[in-house]
């Protein structure tokens, strides 16, 4: 297939592009700089600039562009950047796709389990409603921005992705130096659930969704066994053969250091189940955290 990918320089996009090319697919990367070769095309999502002609002939599009949720403190200006980089870029892309005469068969559009808000210990799947807070509202807008592609007859899958585990980037890689020093600690109460997926399983799920013509709408891209933060912390320490701190990092300290992101992104939890992937027959290489961590570290 010929597949267009946005966000291809990030952890998820770069892993996906490598796999697609290794399997013989042609990949066109949309970039925000001068293209370096025929496998790249320019777009400027911040200004709504994308020539629909560069998308002609594509069989599929995978849209992963967006500023990192936990990369910076959630100031009002950064919250606007989070919205613009997701909602604005999705709208720019889907309006261009809708304008094509020869449209791709499928768009996989990035989303997140933050859609569900803080679910406590209650398991949720794709039939569950959206939660409260900035992050849940952002994801609702993000998903809605893909509507022009849907209305144009393109099969649209919204990838509600959890915490992707990799030693080379993302949330896990950021904390590995702390854990290697033996200073890893439970965050807050430790009872909040972490919905995670290994990077290889994320790539495999995306490949599955590209090929499965029956799948559309929201799909939870998470492993089938979410864990509490306390279990997550212990499992990382065990995989690294390092002790973890006997005292948890208190919630007030996290809020002081991280602001609003601590409340919604660290101390809140989502116990998300990949109901639709499992029902469709998808199988995970790393369904349990104890299996996933050695494979990605």
């Amino acid at each position: 297939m010929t597949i267009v990918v946005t966000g291809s320089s990030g952890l998820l996009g770069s892993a996906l592009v490598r796999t697609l090319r290794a399997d013989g697919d042609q990949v066109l990367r949309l970039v925000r700089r001068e293209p370096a070769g025929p496998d790249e095309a320019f777009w400027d999502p911040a200004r709504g600039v994308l020539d629909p002609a560069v998308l002609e002939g594509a069989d599929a599009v995978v849209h992963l562009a967006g500023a990192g949720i936990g990369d910076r403190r959630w100031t009002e200006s950064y919250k606007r950047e989070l919205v613009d980089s997701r909602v604005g870029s999705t709208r720019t892309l889907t309006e261009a796709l809708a304008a094509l005469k020869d449209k791709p068969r499928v768009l996989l559009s990035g989303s997140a389990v933050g859609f569900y808000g803080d679910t406590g210990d209650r398991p949720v799947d794709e039939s569950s409603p959206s939660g409260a807070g900035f992050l849940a509202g952002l994801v609702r807008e993000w998903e809605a921005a893909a509507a022009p592609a849907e209305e144009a007859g393109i099969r649209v899958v919204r990838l509600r992705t959890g915490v992707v585990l990799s030693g080379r980037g993302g949330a896990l890689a950021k904390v590995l130096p702390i854990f290697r020093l033996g200073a890893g600690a439970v965050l807050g109460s430790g009872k909040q659930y972490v919905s995670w997926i290994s990077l290889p399983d994320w790539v495999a799920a995306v490949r599955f969704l590209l090929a499965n013509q029956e799948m559309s709408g929201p799909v939870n891209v998470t492993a089938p066994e979410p864990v509490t933060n306390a279990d997550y912390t212990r499992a990382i320490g065990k995989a690294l053969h390092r002790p973890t701190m006997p005292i948890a990092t208190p919630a007030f300290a996290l809020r002081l250091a991280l602001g609003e992101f601590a409340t919604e992104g660290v101390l809140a939890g989502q116990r998300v189940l990949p109901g639709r992937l499992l029902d469709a027959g998808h199988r995970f290489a790393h369904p349990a955290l104890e299996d996933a961590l050695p494979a990605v570290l």
Side-chain angles (χ1 to χ4, degrees), residues 1-5 20-21 23-28 39 57 59-60:
M1 294 197 298
T2 298
I3 302 173
V4 176
V5 180
L20 293 172
R21 287 177 170 164
D23 287 348
D25 293 313
Q26 293 184 330
V27 178
L28 176 68
D39 63 340
D59 298 298

Side-chain angles (χ1 to χ4, degrees), residues 110-128:
S111 184
V113 296
F115 173 89
Y116 301 104
D118 187 352
T119 71
D121 62 0
R122 173 175 54 91
V124 296
D125 61 16
E126 292 89 349
S127 67
S128 302

Side-chain angles (χ1 to χ4, degrees), residues 48-234:
V49 175
L50 174 58
D51 182 358
V54 306
L55 304 172
E56 290 286 356
D59 298 298
V61 179
V62 183
H63 175 44
L64 303 172
I69 293 291
D71 287 359
R72 287 167 48 189
R73 192 180 181 92
W74 284 5
T75 62
E76 289 304 311
S77 63
Y78 193 60
K79 285 164 73 173
R80 284 194 299 273
E81 183 176 341
L82 289 173
V83 173
D84 292 344
S85 69
R86 284 169 170 73
V87 179
S89 67
T90 303
R91 188 175 295 118
T92 295
L93 177 63
T94 56
E95 289 176 354
L97 291 172
L100 293 174
K101 181 178 180 180
D102 183 17
K103 298 175 177 60
R105 296 192 296 270
V106 58
L107 164 67
L108 304 190
S109 189
S111 184
V113 296
F115 173 89
Y116 301 104
D118 187 352
T119 71
D121 62 0
R122 173 175 54 91
V124 296
D125 61 16
E126 292 89 349
S127 67
S128 302
S130 180
F134 166 75
L135 188 54
L138 166 60
V139 179
R140 286 195 300 271
E141 288 188 64
W142 190 9
E143 292 192 354
E150 225 163 22
E151 293 163 0
I154 299 170
R155 177 170 69 92
V156 175
V157 179
R158 294 169 172 88
L159 304 170
R160 289 182 183 166
T161 298
V163 176
V164 180
L165 302 185
S166 171
R168 296 182 297 177
L172 177 61
K174 289 179 182 178
V175 301
L176 284 180
I178 299 171
F179 276 84
R180 288 192 171 108
L181 291 173
V186 171
L187 303 179
S189 71
K191 296 179 181 179
Q192 67 273 30
Y193 272 83
V194 179
S195 292
W196 59 274
I197 186 168
S198 72
L199 181 58
D201 268 336
W202 183 89
V203 171
V206 169
R207 299 298 306 274
F208 178 82
L209 292 166
L210 283 170
N212 189 316
Q213 299 180 23
E214 303 303 316
M215 299 286 282
S216 64
V219 176
N220 294 334
V221 190
T222 62
E225 299 181 16
V227 297
T228 65
N229 175 264
D231 289 338
Y232 181 75
T233 301
R234 283 191 290 268

